[in-house]
Amino acid sequence: MDTKTWTKTAMKVLEETSRTFYIPIALLPEGIREAVASAYLCLRAIDEVEDHPKLENKVKAKILRDMSIKLQQGTDSFTAEDFTPDFGEYKDQLPEVSLRIGEWVLFCPRDIAPRIWDATAAMADRMAYWAEVNWKVEKKEDLDAYTFSVAGAVGILLCDLWAWWDGTKTDRQLAIGFGRGLQSVNILRNAGEDKERGVTFYPPDWTDQDMMRYSSSNLEQAQKYIDSLREGSAALTFCRIPFALAHGTLQAKLEGKEKLSRTEVMAIIAKCSSQAYDDKKKEKKENKTETQETE
C-alpha cells in the first residue's frame, strides 16, 4: 500500500472512530498529523478492548498485555503483522481499530514511532491492571491514578510530539491536568452507561457535584496549558477543540443539562476550526513579512 493510500485509509478509520478527534488531527500539517493520528489510533485500539461490553475482565487483561508485549518487542524491521498479537477466539468480537493496531504503529513517522510504542504499551499494561480490579475507585487518589493512567499520560505523550515536531516546549504538569480534565468530563458524561455495566469511577459518597469540582479543577490546569501554546502551533490547533468541548460539556452539566446538543457541539467545532485557519493565515503573513525584510 502506497503512502497516500495508507494515509487515506488511516484517516478514514479515524473519522469513523471519533469525529471529535478526527477534525483537529485533520487540521494538522503533514508529518505531525500522521504522528498524532498514529498515537490516537493505537490508544483507541487498546481503549476499545478495555471498554468492550462483552469480554470478561480477565480476558481484557490478557489481550491488553499481549498487545503491550508486542509493542515492547518492536524493532525497526517489524511489520504490521509482527506488531499484532494473536487475538485467537476473540478476533471476531474486536473492532477494526483494535485488529489493525500493527498498521497504526507503522503509520507514524519512523523517528518518533518508538515513543508511541512505549506510550501504548505502558497504557495497555495499566488498563490490564484496572480491568483486573474492575476499575475499583475507593478514594480520590485512586481516581487520580486512573485518570493519569488513561489520559494524563496522553498529555505527556503530546508534549513529546510537539517538541519533536517544531521544538515547542510545554509544561508537563499542566498537560497532565489537560488529560485528566478531559477524562473526568467523560466520566461525568458516561456515568449512567458505566453504572449499567457495573462500573463506577466515583469514590464512595461522591456525587456528580464532587466529580464536577474535580473536573473543574483539572480543566483550570488545562486552560493554563492551552493559554501557554503559541498561536498557529500544531499543539494549539489540536488541543483547542477537545478542550472547548470538555469545557462546554462541564458547563452544560453545571447548568443541569444532560449533555451538549448536536448544534452546540458543531458550533464549538466550527469556532475552533475558524480560529485555527485564522492562526495559519496570520502565521503565513508574518513569515512572508519576515522573508521580505531579510531580502
Side-chain angles (χ1 to χ4, degrees), residues 1 6 66-67 69-71 73-75 77-87 91 98-106:
M1 187 183 296
W6 200 353
D66 286 347
M67 296 171 88
I69 200 66
K70 279 291 184 180
L71 291 163
Q73 293 169 347
T75 69
S77 63
F78 261 39
T79 64
E81 290 74 21
D82 293 328
F83 276 114
T84 306
D86 180 5
F87 294 112
K91 184 175 181 180
S98 298
L99 297 175
R100 296 176 65 184
I101 186 170
E103 294 179 49
W104 315 142
V105 172
L106 294 182

Side-chain angles (χ1 to χ4, degrees), residues 1 3-23 25-26 33-34 37-38 40-41 44 96-97 100 103-104 107:
M1 187 183 296
T3 302
K4 188 174 182 181
T5 303
W6 200 353
T7 299
K8 186 176 181 180
T9 300
M11 294 305 288
K12 182 176 183 294
V13 173
L14 175 60
E15 184 175 15
E16 292 172 349
T17 304
S18 174
R19 184 72 179 172
T20 299
F21 281 97
Y22 169 78
I23 294 173
I25 292 175
R33 180 174 62 233
E34 286 73 21
S38 170
Y40 178 83
L41 288 167
R44 187 59 183 259
E96 178 184 15
V97 70
R100 296 176 65 184
E103 294 179 49
W104 315 142
F107 184 54

Side-chain angles (χ1 to χ4, degrees), residues 283-295:
E283 187 174 36
K284 284 183 179 180
K285 185 177 180 180
E286 290 176 349
N287 290 339
K288 184 177 180 180
T289 300
E290 289 177 3
T291 300
Q292 291 174 340
E293 289 176 349
T294 56
E295 290 178 351

Side-chain angles (χ1 to χ4, degrees), residues 49-98:
V49 176
E50 184 197 18
D51 290 342
H52 200 287
K54 295 182 179 179
L55 295 178
E56 294 182 1
N57 288 352
K58 63 180 181 181
V59 172
K60 292 181 179 183
K62 182 182 184 308
I63 293 174
L64 287 163
R65 289 201 171 101
D66 286 347
M67 296 171 88
S68 175
I69 200 66
K70 279 291 184 180
L71 291 163
Q72 294 177 56
Q73 293 169 347
T75 69
D76 198 34
S77 63
F78 261 39
T79 64
E81 290 74 21
D82 293 328
F83 276 114
T84 306
D86 180 5
F87 294 112
E89 63 184 291
Y90 305 105
K91 184 175 181 180
D92 292 340
Q93 298 182 55
L94 296 172
E96 178 184 15
V97 70
S98 298

Side-chain angles (χ1 to χ4, degrees), residues 198-255:
V199 173
T200 178
F201 296 100
Y202 286 45
D205 302 326
W206 269 39
T207 65
D208 283 348
Q209 294 298 321
D210 294 305
M211 188 60 76
M212 282 188 263
R213 280 192 287 272
Y214 181 83
S215 296
S216 180
S217 175
N218 279 291
L219 286 182
E220 287 178 7
Q221 297 296 300
Q223 181 67 70
K224 293 177 182 178
Y225 180 70
I226 293 290
D227 291 343
S228 73
L229 302 177
R230 176 177 56 80
E231 285 188 6
S233 66
L236 183 57
T237 296
F238 173 77
C239 294
R240 187 183 267 141
I241 289 178
F243 171 75
L245 289 172
H247 186 270
T249 298
L250 178 60
Q251 285 302 118
K253 284 287 188 182
L254 289 169
E255 294 169 8

